[in-house]
Amino acid sequence: MPRWYMLLAQCLGCAVIEDTWHYFLHRALHHKRIYKYIHKVHHEFLSPFGMQAEYAHPLETLILGAGFFIGIMVFCNHVILLWAWVTVRLLETIDVHSGYDIPLNPLHLVPFYAGARFHDFHHMNFIGNYASTFTWWDKLFNTDSQYNSYRTKVKTQEAKKTK
């Protein structure tokens, strides 16, 4: 049985690997030549909800789902890791598709965690915010610029209302 801190570290490693895979392939699925054939199915819902996260074209499920297994192949030395990673990944996926930015969400303690607000913008705008869990790839490639502009505008409007 792996120690709890090793299990946590391996789940984090799986998350980093899956997030990297997801960012680049999700971004590719938004390319104008293939978007309407594959990824558009997932975007039929403009306001995501938890279980809708798994609603996708079968090819998208294979393409993006493969990233889930890469970390398992790299780190897996115990069936407990497999179950822990499945649980963590499903909870995270449902969280970002929940449509709710839950206050005191413990996942917001994870550095660079994207969360529901970040992913909701992706479903509203279709451009940018391609990462599944973390925000660093979007920051690095500036694919979160429209989101950042939108958040600045929203915060400005909220500040005006409170005055």
Side-chain angles (χ1 to χ4, degrees), residues 25 27-40 63:
L25 287 150
R27 189 173 176 182
L29 288 173
H30 275 268
H31 189 277
K32 62 184 176 184
R33 290 190 178 182
I34 60 174
Y35 173 79
K36 63 184 174 185
Y37 300 110
I38 300 173
H39 192 56
K40 186 176 181 179
I63 292 166

Side-chain angles (χ1 to χ4, degrees), residues 22 29 37-45 51-65 97 123:
H22 189 97
L29 288 173
Y37 300 110
I38 300 173
H39 192 56
K40 186 176 181 179
V41 171
H42 180 71
H43 279 278
E44 286 179 13
F45 295 95
M51 297 311 289
Q52 177 267 331
E54 302 304 325
Y55 182 72
H57 188 283
L59 277 176
E60 178 177 354
T61 299
L62 289 172
I63 292 166
L64 295 182
H97 284 88
H123 276 266

